[in-house]
Amino acid sequence: QMLDVYADVCRDVLAMPVVKGVKSPTERFAGADDTFTIEALMQNGWALQSGTSHFLGQNFAKAFDVTFSDDANQQQHVWATSWGVSTRLVGALIMSHSDDSGLVLPPAVAPTQAVVVPISPGPDKQPEQHAELMAFVDAQVASMRAAGVRVSIDTRWNVRPGPKFFEYERKGVPLRIEAGPRDMA
Protein backbone atom coordinates (compact mmCIF):
# COMPACT_ATOMS: atom_id res chain seq x y z
CA GLN A 1 0.00 0.00 0.00
CA MET A 2 2.84 2.44 0.80
CA LEU A 3 4.31 1.78 -2.62
CA ASP A 4 1.08 3.08 -4.16
CA VAL A 5 1.40 6.27 -2.10
CA TYR A 6 4.96 6.78 -3.37
CA ALA A 7 3.92 6.13 -6.97
CA ASP A 8 0.92 8.47 -6.71
CA VAL A 9 3.05 11.31 -5.29
CA CYS A 10 5.70 10.86 -7.97
CA ARG A 11 3.13 10.76 -10.77
CA ASP A 12 0.57 13.33 -9.55
CA VAL A 13 2.77 15.84 -7.69
CA LEU A 14 6.32 15.48 -9.03
CA ALA A 15 5.26 14.59 -12.61
CA MET A 16 7.73 11.68 -12.75
CA PRO A 17 6.99 8.31 -14.30
CA VAL A 18 7.79 5.38 -12.01
CA VAL A 19 7.72 1.61 -12.14
CA LYS A 20 6.69 -0.32 -9.03
CA GLY A 21 8.38 -3.60 -8.26
CA VAL A 22 9.92 -6.09 -5.86
CA LYS A 23 13.68 -6.39 -5.42
CA SER A 24 15.34 -9.74 -6.04
CA PRO A 25 16.86 -11.56 -3.03
CA THR A 26 20.32 -10.17 -3.91
CA GLU A 27 19.01 -6.59 -4.24
CA ARG A 28 16.76 -6.39 -1.20
CA PHE A 29 17.62 -4.62 2.03
CA ALA A 30 19.94 -6.76 4.17
CA GLY A 31 17.87 -8.68 6.70
CA ALA A 32 14.54 -7.96 5.02
CA ASP A 33 12.15 -10.68 3.89
CA ASP A 34 11.00 -8.48 0.98
CA THR A 35 11.85 -5.07 -0.44
CA PHE A 36 9.29 -3.23 -2.56
CA THR A 37 10.44 -0.26 -4.61
CA ILE A 38 9.54 2.46 -7.03
CA GLU A 39 12.05 3.15 -9.77
CA ALA A 40 11.84 6.66 -11.26
CA LEU A 41 12.54 6.81 -14.98
CA MET A 42 15.17 9.34 -16.01
CA GLN A 43 15.39 11.20 -19.34
CA ASN A 44 18.17 8.92 -20.55
CA GLY A 45 16.05 5.78 -19.99
CA TRP A 46 17.80 4.74 -16.79
CA ALA A 47 15.88 3.94 -13.62
CA LEU A 48 16.72 5.34 -10.19
CA GLN A 49 15.45 3.66 -7.02
CA SER A 50 13.45 6.44 -5.42
CA GLY A 51 11.42 4.94 -2.60
CA THR A 52 11.34 1.64 -0.75
CA SER A 53 9.23 -0.32 1.66
CA HIS A 54 10.93 -3.19 3.46
CA PHE A 55 9.09 -6.06 5.12
CA LEU A 56 11.52 -6.98 7.89
CA GLY A 57 9.46 -9.84 9.29
CA GLN A 58 10.73 -10.77 12.74
CA ASN A 59 14.42 -10.80 11.80
CA PHE A 60 15.41 -7.59 13.59
CA ALA A 61 13.00 -8.22 16.46
CA LYS A 62 14.74 -11.50 17.20
CA ALA A 63 18.21 -9.99 16.82
CA PHE A 64 17.42 -7.11 19.21
CA ASP A 65 14.84 -8.92 21.39
CA VAL A 66 11.97 -6.55 20.60
CA THR A 67 8.76 -8.08 21.92
CA PHE A 68 5.18 -7.34 22.89
CA SER A 69 2.57 -9.06 25.03
CA ASP A 70 -0.18 -10.72 22.98
CA ASP A 71 -3.82 -11.25 24.02
CA ALA A 72 -2.79 -14.33 26.02
CA ASN A 73 -0.11 -12.27 27.79
CA GLN A 74 2.62 -14.21 25.99
CA GLN A 75 5.74 -12.47 24.74
CA GLN A 76 5.91 -12.36 20.93
CA HIS A 77 8.51 -10.86 18.63
CA VAL A 78 7.19 -7.86 16.70
CA TRP A 79 6.68 -7.89 12.94
CA ALA A 80 8.43 -4.87 11.48
CA THR A 81 8.51 -2.75 8.36
CA SER A 82 10.70 0.11 7.26
CA TRP A 83 9.71 2.57 4.57
CA GLY A 84 10.56 5.97 3.26
CA VAL A 85 11.92 8.18 0.56
CA SER A 86 15.04 10.29 0.83
CA THR A 87 16.96 13.05 -0.86
CA ARG A 88 17.39 10.57 -3.71
CA LEU A 89 13.82 11.50 -4.70
CA VAL A 90 14.89 15.15 -4.95
CA GLY A 91 17.76 14.06 -7.19
CA ALA A 92 15.32 12.08 -9.34
CA LEU A 93 13.13 15.17 -9.64
CA ILE A 94 16.08 17.26 -10.82
CA MET A 95 17.32 14.60 -13.25
CA SER A 96 13.80 14.11 -14.65
CA HIS A 97 12.99 17.76 -15.19
CA SER A 98 16.22 19.52 -16.10
CA ASP A 99 17.95 20.20 -19.37
CA ASP A 100 20.90 22.23 -20.60
CA SER A 101 18.98 25.44 -19.88
CA GLY A 102 18.24 24.59 -16.27
CA LEU A 103 15.57 23.08 -14.08
CA VAL A 104 11.84 23.18 -14.80
CA LEU A 105 9.93 22.29 -11.66
CA PRO A 106 6.54 20.62 -11.96
CA PRO A 107 3.82 23.23 -11.27
CA ALA A 108 2.57 21.43 -8.15
CA VAL A 109 5.90 21.92 -6.32
CA ALA A 110 7.18 25.11 -7.93
CA PRO A 111 7.11 28.04 -5.47
CA THR A 112 6.38 30.29 -8.44
CA GLN A 113 4.34 28.56 -11.14
CA ALA A 114 4.46 31.41 -13.64
CA VAL A 115 6.27 34.70 -14.03
CA VAL A 116 5.14 37.56 -16.22
CA VAL A 117 7.93 39.64 -17.72
CA PRO A 118 6.51 42.88 -19.13
CA ILE A 119 8.45 44.03 -22.19
CA SER A 120 8.36 47.79 -21.75
CA PRO A 121 10.88 50.61 -21.94
CA GLY A 122 9.76 51.47 -18.42
CA PRO A 123 7.58 54.04 -16.71
CA ASP A 124 9.99 56.92 -17.36
CA LYS A 125 10.45 56.58 -21.14
CA GLN A 126 6.89 56.01 -22.45
CA PRO A 127 4.57 56.48 -19.48
CA GLU A 128 1.24 56.14 -21.34
CA GLN A 129 2.19 52.96 -23.20
CA HIS A 130 3.75 51.57 -20.02
CA ALA A 131 0.64 52.29 -17.92
CA GLU A 132 -1.59 50.63 -20.55
CA LEU A 133 0.68 47.56 -20.64
CA MET A 134 0.80 47.27 -16.86
CA ALA A 135 -3.00 47.52 -16.62
CA PHE A 136 -3.20 44.64 -19.10
CA VAL A 137 -0.57 42.62 -17.17
CA ASP A 138 -2.27 43.29 -13.82
CA ALA A 139 -5.61 42.06 -15.19
CA GLN A 140 -4.03 38.86 -16.56
CA VAL A 141 -2.18 38.21 -13.30
CA ALA A 142 -5.36 38.79 -11.26
CA SER A 143 -7.12 36.23 -13.45
CA MET A 144 -4.33 33.69 -12.92
CA ARG A 145 -4.27 34.27 -9.16
CA ALA A 146 -8.05 33.85 -9.03
CA ALA A 147 -7.53 30.44 -10.69
CA GLY A 148 -5.01 29.51 -7.97
CA VAL A 149 -1.82 30.04 -9.97
CA ARG A 150 1.21 31.21 -7.98
CA VAL A 151 2.38 33.99 -10.29
CA SER A 152 4.69 36.96 -10.00
CA ILE A 153 5.46 40.00 -12.14
CA ASP A 154 9.04 41.09 -12.76
CA THR A 155 9.02 44.89 -12.66
CA ARG A 156 12.76 45.44 -12.45
CA TRP A 157 13.02 48.01 -15.26
CA ASN A 158 16.77 48.35 -14.75
CA VAL A 159 17.32 44.69 -15.80
CA ARG A 160 17.12 43.66 -19.45
CA PRO A 161 14.77 40.79 -20.44
CA GLY A 162 17.57 38.27 -21.23
CA PRO A 163 19.01 38.16 -17.69
CA LYS A 164 15.46 37.95 -16.31
CA PHE A 165 14.71 34.95 -18.54
CA PHE A 166 17.92 33.22 -17.44
CA GLU A 167 17.13 33.86 -13.77
CA TYR A 168 13.71 32.21 -14.02
CA GLU A 169 15.10 29.24 -15.96
CA ARG A 170 17.72 28.79 -13.25
CA LYS A 171 15.03 28.94 -10.54
CA GLY A 172 12.92 26.31 -12.30
CA VAL A 173 9.82 28.43 -12.91
CA PRO A 174 7.65 26.26 -15.19
CA LEU A 175 6.07 29.05 -17.22
CA ARG A 176 7.51 32.38 -18.32
CA ILE A 177 5.09 34.79 -19.99
CA GLU A 178 6.40 37.77 -21.92
CA ALA A 179 3.86 40.56 -22.39
CA GLY A 180 4.51 43.51 -24.64
CA PRO A 181 2.43 46.17 -26.40
CA ARG A 182 1.52 43.81 -29.28
CA ASP A 183 0.07 41.27 -26.83
CA MET A 184 -2.66 43.69 -25.74
CA ALA A 185 -4.44 43.58 -29.13
Side-chain angles (χ1 to χ4, degrees):
Q1 183 180 3
M2 199 63 219
L3 212 56
D4 292 331
V5 172
Y6 296 158
D8 291 348
V9 167
C10 286
R11 182 191 63 238
D12 300 339
V13 178
L14 302 179
M16 289 189 325
V18 295
V19 175
K20 297 184 286 188
V22 180
K23 291 290 190 182
S24 70
T26 58
E27 296 175 310
R28 75 174 57 129
F29 183 72
D33 289 342
D34 277 310
T35 293
F36 304 92
T37 182
I38 57 165
E39 306 284 329
L41 302 176
M42 303 294 102
Q43 293 181 35
N44 63 2
W46 293 0
L48 177 68
Q49 178 179 304
S50 299
T52 55
S53 181
H54 309 290
F55 174 58
L56 304 174
Q58 292 181 311
N59 298 331
F60 288 90
K62 289 176 181 175
F64 295 102
D65 196 29
V66 180
T67 60
F68 69 99
S69 296
D70 66 12
D71 292 341
N73 207 25
Q74 299 295 314
Q75 292 294 303
Q76 301 288 333
H77 286 101
V78 300
W79 294 86
T81 61
S82 169
W83 45 270
V85 295
S86 69
T87 53
R88 183 180 289 227
L89 189 58
V90 175
L93 175 72
I94 292 167
M95 289 190 291
S96 296
H97 295 292
S98 63
D99 59 22
D100 290 343
S101 297
L103 173 66
V104 178
L105 290 170
V109 295
T112 301
Q113 295 171 315
V115 62
V116 178
V117 180
I119 307 299
S120 169
D124 299 333
K125 294 184 180 173
Q126 295 179 356
E128 282 184 24
Q129 182 187 44
H130 177 78
E132 189 178 330
L133 174 64
M134 291 312 295
F136 171 78
V137 166
D138 289 340
Q140 302 309 310
V141 167
S143 175
M144 287 186 269
R145 286 185 177 144
V149 177
R150 293 184 299 275
V151 61
S152 66
I153 306 170
D154 191 324
T155 57
R156 296 175 297 165
W157 308 117
N158 62 330
V159 179
R160 296 183 58 80
K164 290 180 185 182
F165 300 161
F166 176 71
E167 176 182 338
Y168 296 113
E169 282 184 30
R170 193 172 39 92
K171 289 181 176 180
V173 176
L175 182 62
R176 183 187 74 227
I177 303 167
E178 302 163 29
R182 289 183 287 195
D183 297 308
M184 297 185 295

